[in-house]
């Protein structure tokens, strides 16, 4: 289907229409070989509450944004390279059905479709595009993903100290490492995580200690590495074994599976064929 639609007038018109809907606030989307494969409205589980978002699936990127006027005006454009995407199907909650997670190295979030069939369509097309891209580039699937933020409504107390109760005066915060909802006292530290941001980000106290420990191990490993031996053989460079540090999974209690968060009343558009 991609080969059939590439460089066709109808594909160019569809991409131009998407660009026009985002207006000056969006980035140009028309590049050689890019094909718009599908579009539709999904419910994105945001921090405060679930919100409808428009999604556009291209053969190399996933684009989504906020709906101002459907089919006419969108804003807050986000562009996700599909090579960085991993999908995970999630169980239903009482109020939120047909859920799955879109995981990337910079941001991970949960979306839901209006029906099980629509979820299968989205996941099938996404996985096919991802497989094609990875085969084309020779890359391996991404293994490092940003933690999704747990919605505010998931808990009324800090998920670390389990003592502080949130209110209009006691704000909720999110740890950028584990995604937990935490109080200010449990998240006073900042840590630089270049994969997520060039600036230090708020993390909870537990993740801060884990990140410091990992950084210390890396520094000690670097100090233990022997000085390179300069060989007399022209063009010879001694190999440097790369040490890989893998952080331990955050073993935290999970909230009840039957927690009621959301309702889903969204409509589906279509995949282009």
């Amino acid at each position: 289907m991609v080969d059939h639609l590439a460089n066709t007038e109808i594909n160019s018109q569809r991409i131009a229409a998407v660009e026009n809907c985002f207006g000056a606030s969006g980035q140009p989307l028309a590049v050689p070989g890019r094909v718009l494969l599908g579009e539709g409205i999904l419910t994105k589980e945001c921090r405060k509450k679930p919100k409808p978002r428009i999604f556009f699936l291209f053969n190399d990127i996933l684009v989504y944004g906020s709906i101002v006027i459907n089919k006419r005006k969108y804003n807050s454009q986000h562009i996700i390279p599909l090579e960085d995407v991993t999908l995970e199907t999630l169980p239903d909650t009482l109020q939120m059905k047909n859920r799955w997670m879109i995981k990337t190295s910079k941001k991970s979030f949960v979306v839901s479709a209006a029906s099980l069939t629509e979820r299968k369509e989205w996941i099938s097309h996404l996985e096919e595009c991802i497989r094609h891209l990875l085969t084309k580039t020779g890359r391996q699937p991404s293994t490092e993903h940003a933690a999704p933020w747990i919605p505010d409504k998931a808990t009324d107390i800090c998920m670390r100290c389990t003592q502080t109760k949130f209110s209009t005066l006691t704000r909720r915060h999110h740890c950028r490492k584990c995604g937990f909802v935490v109080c200010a006292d449990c998240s006073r530290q900042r840590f630089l995580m270049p994969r997520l941001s060039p600036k230090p980000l708020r993390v909870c106290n537990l993740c801060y200690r884990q990140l410091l420990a990992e950084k210390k191990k890396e520094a000690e490993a670097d100090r233990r590495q022997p000085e390179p031996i300069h060989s007399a053989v022209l063009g010879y460079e001694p190999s440097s074994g790369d040490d890989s540090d893998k952080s331990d999974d955050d073993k935290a209690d999970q909230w009840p599976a039957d927690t009621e968060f959301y309702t889903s009343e969204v409509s589906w558009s279509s995949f282009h064929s």
Side-chain angles (χ1 to χ4, degrees), residues 15-251:
I15 295 178
V18 176
E19 290 181 331
N20 185 59
C21 287
F22 279 104
S25 64
Q27 298 183 36
L29 299 173
V31 299
R34 177 170 291 168
V35 176
L36 177 58
L37 298 176
E39 61 186 82
I41 296 176
L42 299 172
T43 298
K44 180 176 178 288
E45 297 185 11
C46 301
R47 173 181 177 178
K48 297 293 184 182
K49 62 180 181 179
K51 299 177 182 178
R53 293 287 185 260
I54 184 69
F55 281 78
F56 298 96
L57 175 61
F58 296 81
N59 58 325
D60 61 337
I61 59 174
L62 181 67
V63 178
Y64 72 93
S66 300
I67 303 171
V68 181
I69 304 174
N70 193 27
K71 299 291 185 180
R72 292 180 60 187
K73 186 176 182 181
Y74 308 123
N75 59 20
S76 302
Q77 184 191 73
H78 297 267
I79 299 177
I80 303 175
L82 288 181
E83 291 180 11
D84 192 35
V85 171
T86 302
L87 306 177
E88 179 183 350
T89 303
L90 300 176
D92 293 344
T93 63
L94 290 179
Q95 293 183 335
M96 204 71 166
K97 310 296 183 183
N98 312 309
R99 304 162 68 237
W100 77 95
M101 186 182 298
I102 297 174
K103 300 190 289 186
T104 77
S105 60
K106 293 185 178 297
K107 184 175 184 177
S108 300
F109 55 93
V110 176
V111 294
S112 66
S115 70
L116 182 61
T117 299
E118 290 167 12
R119 182 178 73 171
K120 289 180 179 179
E121 287 269 341
W122 269 107
I123 292 178
S124 173
H125 283 80
L126 280 163
E127 288 180 339
E128 179 62 27
C129 290
I130 294 168
R131 280 195 299 268
H132 183 268
L133 279 172
L134 293 178
T135 301
K136 183 178 179 180
T137 61
R139 287 183 50 183
Q140 295 297 315
S142 179
T143 57
E144 291 191 28
H145 307 112
W149 283 19
I150 293 174
D152 287 0
K153 289 185 178 180
T155 179
D156 291 326
I157 62 173
C158 173
M159 300 179 73
R160 283 304 183 201
C161 68
T162 67
Q163 299 296 322
T164 302
K165 292 186 177 181
F166 299 120
S167 65
T168 54
L169 297 179
T170 305
R171 290 185 55 204
R172 291 170 168 85
H173 299 279
H174 278 82
C175 172
R176 270 58 169 182
K177 177 70 168 59
C178 65
F180 275 25
V181 184
V182 292
C183 65
D185 286 340
C186 288
S187 60
R188 294 193 180 279
Q189 305 294 340
R190 301 288 191 277
F191 199 89
L192 180 62
M193 294 180 282
R195 180 167 53 87
L196 301 181
S197 171
K199 298 180 180 180
L201 300 175
R202 180 189 292 270
V203 293
C204 68
N205 296 342
L206 177 61
C207 286
Y208 182 72
R209 292 193 295 269
Q210 292 177 343
L211 289 166
L212 279 182
E214 292 171 10
K215 186 176 181 180
K216 183 179 179 181
K217 287 181 180 179
E218 291 175 356
E220 291 175 350
D222 290 341
R223 285 196 298 268
R224 285 197 299 267
Q225 283 202 353
E227 291 293 328
I229 300 174
H230 299 286
S231 172
V233 180
L234 184 63
Y236 173 80
E237 293 182 1
S239 62
S240 58
D242 292 330
D243 294 327
S244 60
D245 280 315
K246 295 183 179 179
S247 59
D248 293 332
D249 291 334
D250 198 8
K251 299 178 181 178

